[in-house]
Amino acid sequence: MSYILTLGEKAKKVKSELMCASTGKKNDALIKISEELKNNIDLIIEKNNIDLENAEKNGMSKSMLDRLKLDEKRIEAIANACVNLSKLDDPVGEIVGGGVRPNGMKIEKVRVPMGVIGIIYEARPNVTVDAASLCLKSGNTVILRGGKEAFESNKILMSIMRDAVVKAGFSADVMQLVEDTSRETATEMMKLNGYIDVLIPRGGAGLISSVVKNATVPVIETGTGNCHLFVDESADLQMAVDILNNGKTQRPSVCNALESLLVHEKIADEFLPLAKAKLDENSVEFRGCERTKEILGDCVIPATEDDYATEFLDYIISVKVVADVDEAISHISEYTTGHSECIVTKSLENAEKFQMGIDAAAVYVNCSTRFTDGEEFGLGAEIGISTQKLHARGPMGLRELTTTKYLISGKGQVR
């Protein structure tokens, strides 16, 4: 029996423990995980430092190193998220529909766990805890396969969580980590029909594309974030600068960071120098159209079609001056990955046109795309941002990790 199949067997064997567990018992396990993470902060940082050292030796970019890094503040935030998750309503058992048929048969449509969830992700060790805790609360057993860049961090985090759930009365195997980070194990997970009920990829375009193309198990596609900001002619320019700066520089390595700036031609001469001055504080590289270059000078690298289509995840932004909101919508529609898009405007008409005309999971008016996040949306931690349209779209919280089934009760009715 292969290594991955063994993990699948273990997950399938214990999945009824979580599917049938009470809300109280699941919450107790989340609180225990939080406590144990806080009790082991020094050990987690020690293991994370090994990953950081290896990543630096291998030339990982500054922004990706930031994704990988765990410090005391981040670990405490991850631990606190588990407690916050324990306070959220449990979706399992929720009655979402039904009624009584003319023959007296009672039908209830109820929310239930999916069963075994597989998650393949890259160099973000916080995902290990976020994903495992969300799956636990929603009653799902989970198999996690992280990237080799975060191996030591993921291993210690999973060890701590497995010990915690055992103390809470569950089998350790309700959550497992794939400790073989070869491509072969990822490919095998994608084809583990009969064991994994749904597979969720979380990472860059290459990873997501590979899972979507190769998986034979059902997939919920999380998306890359080629996110745009359009500054309309009526925009409050200082507000636009603040939203641009927050979206581009706060954490450029995440999927809800801004990658492209569109500016109405009537305010481009005034706005672009303001934008450049602010983004210069973080040495952001501009790749722009001819008009952008005319306004800002030789510091602007001429933008290519690829630049407008790229999720940089770095201190780089593509820029284009457009004639109006219609051209902005047209440009975004061509290059969007369907994640998060924003307009800054004082025009209600243009705001409504933008929100109706943009096909994305989250469409903002006058606020940062950085809010596309499960916790910011009040969902607790998230498993990822879905950019597909079936079953789940946008931040995937607890309800998105459940399905439904029908419960039918009768008194001997026959058809």
Side-chain angles (χ1 to χ4, degrees):
M1 184 181 295
S2 73
Y3 171 61
I4 289 295
L5 187 56
T6 299
L7 298 185
E9 289 273 15
K10 289 179 179 179
K12 189 172 182 178
K13 184 176 180 180
V14 302
K15 74 175 183 178
S16 62
E17 285 189 33
L18 279 179
M19 293 183 79
C20 300
S22 69
T23 301
K25 187 174 181 181
K26 291 186 291 187
N27 288 342
D28 287 344
L30 288 168
I31 292 169
K32 181 61 68 176
I33 288 173
S34 177
E35 291 171 350
E36 294 300 319
L37 289 172
K38 290 182 178 180
N39 290 339
N40 288 279
I41 286 176
D42 290 342
L43 179 57
I44 295 169
I45 291 174
E46 176 187 330
K47 297 297 185 181
N48 181 245
N49 283 336
I50 296 173
D51 288 331
L52 288 170
E53 289 172 11
N54 291 334
E56 285 191 71
K57 289 177 184 176
N58 291 325
M60 180 179 282
S61 69
K62 179 182 175 183
S63 60
M64 294 304 290
L65 283 169
D66 177 65
R67 274 191 171 195
L68 179 59
K69 182 178 176 61
L70 292 176
D71 54 24
E72 183 173 351
K73 184 178 179 180
R74 287 186 179 181
I75 296 167
E76 287 184 348
I78 292 168
N80 290 336
C82 294
V83 175
N84 294 337
L85 193 57
S86 74
K87 298 174 183 178
L88 295 179
D89 292 339
D90 187 349
V92 177
E94 176 187 351
I95 299 173
V96 296
V100 179
R101 300 298 298 149
N103 64 2
M105 192 169 64
K106 181 181 178 182
I107 300 176
E108 289 181 331
K109 185 180 182 181
V110 300
R111 205 173 287 283
V112 295
M114 289 187 171
V116 179
I117 294 178
I119 302 173
I120 300 177
Y121 56 107
E122 293 175 331
R124 293 186 65 181
N126 65 295
V127 174
T128 303
V129 180
D130 289 349
S133 59
L134 272 164
C135 287
L136 191 156
K137 176 79 178 204
S138 56
N140 294 291
T141 304
V142 66
I143 301 174
L144 299 171
R145 194 273 188 191
K148 62 182 179 181
E149 302 88 351
F151 179 70
E152 294 295 335
S153 305
N154 291 339
K155 196 161 77 164
I156 189 61
L157 290 170
M158 180 56 75
S159 176
I160 291 167
M161 289 191 294
R162 281 167 62 91
D163 288 344
V165 296
V166 168
K167 291 175 182 177
F170 291 108
S171 299
D173 289 338
V174 297
M175 51 182 68
Q176 299 179 84
L177 178 72
V178 178
E179 295 191 10
D180 178 349
T181 58
S182 66
R183 288 187 177 182
E184 289 74 20
T185 60
T187 301
E188 195 171 353
M189 275 187 74
M190 297 176 202
K191 302 180 185 300
L192 207 59
N193 297 73
Y195 298 92
I196 291 178
D197 294 291
V198 65
L199 185 63
I200 303 172
R202 182 168 173 175
L207 169 66
I208 294 167
S209 175
S210 176
V211 173
V212 171
K213 289 178 180 177
N214 295 305
T216 57
V217 300
V219 173
I220 297 178
E221 182 178 351
T222 61
T224 52
N226 187 19
C227 304
H228 298 75
L229 171 66
F230 169 52
V231 183
D232 196 16
E233 64 176 314
S234 65
D236 179 319
L237 298 190
Q238 187 55 55
M239 177 193 291
V241 167
D242 292 342
I243 290 173
L244 170 65
N245 185 54
N246 178 254
K248 181 69 257 181
T249 70
Q250 188 196 45
R251 288 196 73 187
S253 62
V254 294
C255 62
N256 57 21
L258 285 174
E259 303 292 10
S260 193
L261 170 65
L262 305 177
V263 183
H264 195 291
E265 62 183 9
K266 291 185 179 179
I267 51 98
D269 287 327
E270 184 179 0
F271 179 74
L272 282 174
L274 296 174
K276 182 73 166 58
K278 189 62 179 178
L279 295 188
D280 277 350
E281 294 175 9
N282 285 281
S283 302
V284 175
E285 178 183 296
F286 277 55
R287 300 182 184 179
C289 64
E290 287 186 19
R291 182 68 185 125
T292 303
K293 190 172 177 63
E294 288 174 7
I295 295 170
L296 296 179
D298 291 339
C299 62
V300 177
I301 298 170
T304 66
E305 291 297 308
D306 285 345
D307 288 327
Y308 289 124
T310 296
E311 182 189 30
F312 297 110
L313 301 175
D314 205 346
Y315 291 97
I316 303 170
I317 192 165
S318 62
V319 187
K320 186 175 183 180
V321 177
V322 296
D324 51 27
V325 66
D326 293 313
E327 186 180 350
I329 292 171
S330 177
H331 178 93
I332 292 170
S333 297
E334 183 173 355
Y335 296 105
T336 185
T337 54
H339 193 293
S340 302
E341 310 294 0
C342 175
I343 183 175
V344 178
T345 185
K346 292 178 183 176
S347 166
L348 178 60
E349 179 183 354
N350 285 353
E352 291 178 344
K353 179 183 285 190
F354 189 86
Q355 287 194 307
M356 292 301 293
I358 294 295
D359 186 10
V363 186
Y364 293 83
V365 175
N366 297 335
C367 45
S368 174
T369 59
R370 289 282 289 114
F371 285 107
T372 307
D373 175 86
E375 190 167 357
E376 294 292 340
F377 278 20
L379 305 176
E382 76 188 28
I383 212 80
I385 309 295
S386 171
T387 55
Q388 66 178 31
K389 299 179 183 180
L390 298 179
H391 172 65
R393 196 179 194 193
M396 291 188 291
L398 294 171
R399 278 177 173 76
E400 287 71 30
L401 296 181
T402 63
T403 184
T404 58
K405 70 179 178 183
Y406 287 93
L407 303 180
I408 305 97
S409 301
K411 296 181 179 179
Q413 292 93 332
V414 295
R415 185 172 179 179

